[in-house]
């Protein structure tokens, strides 16, 4: 008999119809005359209840139907007499595809997230991770739909690269060389002539630079794919392998970039509220009881647009009034998550787009603001004590920075001057610099950490719990 997904069975009112469902047992409750099996197939957070008349089934078969077992159940769809469900199935046939012993790690009892991370191959079957993964899928669909509806082209950038977009190192090398017999020159440097690409290559930290090439040809593009950073960081906000969404748009200025960032992220949040109601309700109950309220709050608020210099003043005033921060926050410091969250959660109580950061703490390709005296003119004329650039980072409650963006420097001379100040090697960037030599144009873009978006939308507290198989220092299992 053809299988019906549980999500469709639960929506059906065709009582009296014979249906076939297949899935994994959440619970099996025994009583004198009938048993109750809660079955889930991953299509929804909700289970369908299978009512089993004990007189019609073999005891040995029923003993195999334990938590985690995979079964097929055929029976009559009837209106449920119990609370919390509209329909159930009165079983006429049961088949066990895969029994599950008492050593099954995801038994129906409280499991810590740390224990579940050690069993990442099984944790996906739990209610929590099923909900997170369905929301992850929906956020991916929201991203593609938003950009498609707004005239962007999906642009595929390479995962293997010979350049470092961020200029910060910490990249995973890609090689076919024999690591036990590396050829080196007289200075001890590795010779890559015999390597597959003939030069040193790594996994990409960002598709932005190649994305800019696409924007200067197609007008508006976005990338959406995995990126890699070999940072020895064990915080709840960092992964070695994660997904990035990176739109790049020609002829976009700072104001328009902030409009795009706010509109885009509100679209994604609205999509979650409209399309993930059951999963969000579950997570709101089990993980974070303020989750739905916080998501709805984002849609109601206009994001604050705050120059970095003004943000520093607010933080320093908070310190004077007794607020304690672990890290310093003087002008020129790269703000820590605690600073960002204070501005969002305590001071403004709404999302913030921070603008006009000091040039020295941001990437080389970001456009500098006009210089006035010893400082620079930032957003809305805010005077900073040093050079600033046209950054537009979106800060969210619970997360801190969720988007990092900027207007890109389109002037070849200014870009080369900044590269010179940073003593960067231009040999690997010749193709990028050519876009400023031939037909350069104003353009801007941003990067959204996909897992950070999922963190916010699900209310989960650790980024390792919003990706199916996390890659972190000393951990590459599964």
């Amino acid at each position: 008999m053809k299988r019906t997904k549980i999500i469709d069975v639960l929506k059906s009112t065709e009582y009296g119809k014979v249906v076939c469902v297949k899935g994994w047992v959440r619970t099996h409750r025994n009583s004198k005359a009938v048993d109750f099996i809660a079955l889930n197939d991953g299509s929804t957070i909700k289970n369908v209840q299978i009512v089993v008349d004990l007189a019609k089934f073999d005891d040995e078969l029923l003993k195999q139907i334990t938590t985690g077992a995979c079964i097929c159940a055929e029976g009559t769809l009837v209106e449920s007499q119990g609370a919390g469900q509209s329909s159930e199935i009165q079983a006429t046939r049961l088949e066990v595809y895969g029994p599950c012993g008492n050593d099954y790690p995801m038994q129906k009892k409280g499991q810590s997230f740390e224990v579940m991370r050690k069993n990442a191959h099984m944790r996906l079957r739990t209610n929590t991770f099923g909900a997170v993964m369905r929301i992850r899928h929906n956020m991916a669909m929201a991203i593609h739909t938003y950009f498609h509806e707004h005239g962007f082209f999906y642009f595929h950038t390479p995962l293997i690269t010979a350049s470092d977009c961020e200029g910060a190192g910490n990249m995973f090398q890609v090689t076919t060389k024999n690591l036990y017999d590396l050829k080196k020159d007289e200075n001890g440097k590795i010779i890559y002539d015999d390597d597959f690409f003939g030069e040193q290559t790594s996994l990409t930290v960002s598709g932005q630079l190649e994305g800019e090439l696409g924007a200067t040809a197609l007008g508006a593009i976005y990338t959406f794919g995995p990126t890699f950073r070999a940072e020895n960081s064990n915080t709840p906000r960092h992964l070695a392998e994660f997904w990035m969404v990176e739109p790049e748009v020609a002829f976009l200025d700072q104001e328009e970039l902030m409009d795009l960032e706010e509109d885009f992220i509100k679209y994604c949040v609205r999509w979650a509220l409209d399309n993930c109601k059951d999963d969000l309700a579950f997570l709101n109950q089990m993980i974070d009881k303020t989750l739905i309220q916080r998501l709805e709050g984002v849609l109601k608020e206009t994001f604050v647009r705050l120059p970095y210099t003004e943000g520093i003043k607010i933080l320093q005033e908070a310190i004077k009034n007794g607020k304690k921060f672990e890290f310093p926050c003087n002008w020129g410091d790269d703000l820590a998550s605690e600073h960002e969250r204070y501005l969002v959660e305590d001071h403004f109580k709404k999302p913030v787009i921070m603008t006009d950061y000091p040039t020295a703490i941001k990437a080389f390709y970001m456009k500098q603001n006009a210089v006035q005296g010893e400082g620079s003119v930032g957003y809305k004329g805010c005077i900073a004590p040093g050079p600033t650039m046209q950054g537009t980072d979106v800060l969210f409650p619970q997360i801190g920075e969720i988007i990092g963006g900027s207007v890109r420097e389109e002037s070849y001379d200014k870009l080369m001057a900044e590269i010179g100040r940073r003593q960067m090697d231009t040999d690997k960037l010749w193709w990028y610099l050519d876009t400023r030599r031939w037909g350069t144009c104003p353009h801007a873009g941003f990067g959204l950490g996909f897992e950070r978006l999922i963190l916010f939308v699900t209310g989960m507290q650790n980024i390792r719990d919003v990706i199916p198989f996390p890659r972190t220092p000393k951990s590459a299992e599964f």
Side-chain angles (χ1 to χ4, degrees):
M1 186 176 181
K2 186 177 180 180
R3 170 202 172 208
T4 302
K5 288 185 177 182
I6 289 174
I7 190 173
D8 296 322
V9 166
L10 294 175
K11 292 177 181 176
S12 176
T13 56
E14 294 184 77
Y15 301 126
K17 180 181 179 180
V18 177
V19 296
C20 172
V21 291
K22 300 178 182 182
W24 293 268
V25 175
R26 287 286 193 260
T27 60
H28 183 176
R29 293 187 291 116
N30 307 106
S31 67
K32 291 183 178 179
V34 295
D35 280 8
F36 299 96
I37 299 168
L39 196 67
N40 190 281
D41 65 0
S43 61
T44 172
I45 189 71
K46 296 179 179 179
N47 306 320
V48 66
Q49 180 165 275
I50 313 295
V51 182
V52 181
D53 185 340
L54 298 183
K56 298 179 180 179
F57 289 91
D58 180 67
D59 286 345
E60 292 303 313
L61 173 67
L62 295 179
K63 287 179 182 178
Q64 296 181 60
I65 302 177
T66 59
T67 298
C70 183
I71 70 169
C72 168
E74 292 181 11
T76 305
L77 183 68
V78 298
E79 195 167 2
S80 178
Q81 302 302 309
Q85 56 201 19
S86 59
S87 57
E88 60 190 22
I89 298 172
Q90 292 182 342
T92 56
R93 189 178 81 87
L94 295 172
E95 180 181 353
V96 177
Y97 289 145
C100 207
N102 293 329
D103 57 345
Y104 176 57
M106 298 294 114
Q107 296 289 344
K108 187 174 174 57
K109 59 181 181 179
Q111 303 276 12
S112 71
F113 285 116
E114 185 61 36
V115 169
M116 285 195 277
R117 283 177 212 127
K118 294 177 181 178
N119 293 280
H121 58 311
M122 290 289 114
R123 70 176 184 170
L124 299 174
R125 297 187 191 177
T126 65
N127 286 333
T128 297
F129 284 91
V132 169
M133 293 306 140
R134 282 187 293 271
I135 291 173
R136 185 181 172 103
H137 157 78
N138 268 280
M139 289 298 90
M141 294 303 298
I143 289 164
H144 285 301
T145 304
Y146 177 87
F147 286 122
H148 180 68
E149 289 179 349
H150 288 77
F152 286 68
F153 297 101
Y154 186 25
F155 192 70
H156 298 139
T157 54
L159 297 184
I160 299 174
T161 179
S163 63
D164 177 2
C165 173
E166 301 294 333
N170 299 321
M171 300 177 74
F172 291 101
Q173 285 198 42
V174 176
T175 183
T176 57
K177 292 177 70 66
N178 181 354
L179 299 182
Y180 297 98
D181 185 23
L182 294 173
K183 292 196 302 182
K184 300 180 180 179
D185 62 20
E186 62 275 10
N187 297 317
K189 292 185 177 180
I190 297 172
I191 299 172
Y192 285 93
D193 291 350
D194 60 340
D195 205 356
F196 186 89
F197 293 106
E199 59 181 321
Q200 184 176 346
T201 55
S202 304
L203 294 177
T204 187
V205 299
S206 169
Q208 181 202 312
L209 300 189
E210 292 89 351
E212 287 186 51
L213 307 186
T216 58
L218 300 172
I221 65 92
Y222 72 103
T223 74
F224 185 10
T227 53
F228 310 85
R229 301 196 182 182
E231 297 175 358
N232 189 19
S233 179
N234 281 289
T235 77
R237 296 288 181 269
H238 290 88
L239 290 166
E241 176 184 301
F242 56 98
W243 286 63
M244 286 281 286
V245 181
E246 298 178 290
E248 290 290 330
V249 191
F251 316 116
L252 204 69
D253 63 21
Q254 188 178 23
E255 244 347 296
E256 294 166 326
L257 177 59
M258 288 187 283
D259 291 342
L260 174 64
E261 290 170 337
E262 182 170 348
D263 188 57
F264 165 69
I265 205 159
K266 282 184 174 179
Y267 182 96
C268 292
V269 171
R270 189 177 299 108
W271 183 289
L273 288 167
D274 290 344
N275 295 279
C276 307
K277 289 184 174 66
D278 290 341
D279 288 320
L280 287 177
F282 172 81
L283 294 171
N284 191 82
Q285 178 184 0
M286 302 301 293
I287 302 298
D288 183 347
K289 297 190 184 301
T290 66
L291 173 61
I292 293 177
Q293 178 185 350
R294 193 165 59 249
L295 295 176
E296 291 174 341
V298 166
L299 300 183
K300 297 174 184 176
E301 300 287 0
T302 299
F303 294 4
V304 175
R305 300 187 177 186
L306 176 72
Y308 168 92
T309 301
E310 290 301 310
I312 290 294
K313 290 178 181 177
I314 292 170
L315 293 168
Q316 290 178 341
E317 189 65 29
I319 292 172
K320 289 179 183 177
N321 293 330
K323 176 66 179 176
K324 302 291 185 183
F325 291 117
E326 181 181 356
F327 298 101
C329 55
N330 299 310
W331 199 94
D333 290 332
D334 200 357
L335 296 185
S337 178
E338 61 175 342
H339 305 134
E340 296 167 342
R341 291 184 61 179
Y342 174 83
L343 293 169
V344 172
E345 297 169 16
D346 297 327
H347 188 81
F348 291 107
K349 295 180 171 37
K350 62 174 70 174
V352 170
I353 305 180
M354 184 163 277
T355 68
D356 307 294
Y357 288 83
T359 299
I361 64 172
K362 290 296 184 178
F364 74 96
Y365 49 72
M366 297 187 179
K367 186 178 182 67
Q368 286 197 22
N369 284 306
V371 175
Q372 178 177 338
E374 294 184 356
S376 62
V377 179
Y379 182 60
K380 292 185 177 178
C382 175
I383 304 300
T388 60
M389 39 63 63
Q390 295 183 25
T392 57
D393 291 359
V394 180
L395 314 181
F396 255 37
Q398 305 291 320
I399 302 297
E401 182 189 327
I402 196 169
I403 282 178
S406 78
V407 178
R408 317 310 191 189
E409 180 54 70
E410 78 272 16
S411 166
Y412 176 84
D413 292 336
K414 291 180 180 178
L415 190 60
M416 285 298 295
E418 185 61 28
I419 288 172
R421 275 192 290 272
R422 297 176 186 235
Q423 299 182 327
M424 295 174 59
D425 182 3
T426 60
D427 289 347
K428 302 289 188 182
L429 292 172
W430 64 268
W431 50 270
Y432 180 73
L433 295 171
D434 273 356
T435 61
R436 273 64 171 179
R437 295 175 58 215
W438 298 320
T440 188
C441 69
H443 61 289
F446 67 80
L448 166 79
F450 185 53
E451 281 73 27
R452 291 195 178 189
L453 173 64
I454 308 304
L455 270 181
F456 179 74
V457 172
T458 61
M460 300 294 281
Q461 299 300 304
N462 195 309
I463 203 165
R464 302 177 192 200
D465 298 328
V466 296
I467 191 169
F469 308 105
R471 294 291 179 258
T472 55
K474 311 300 182 189
S475 178
E477 291 181 288
F478 313 114

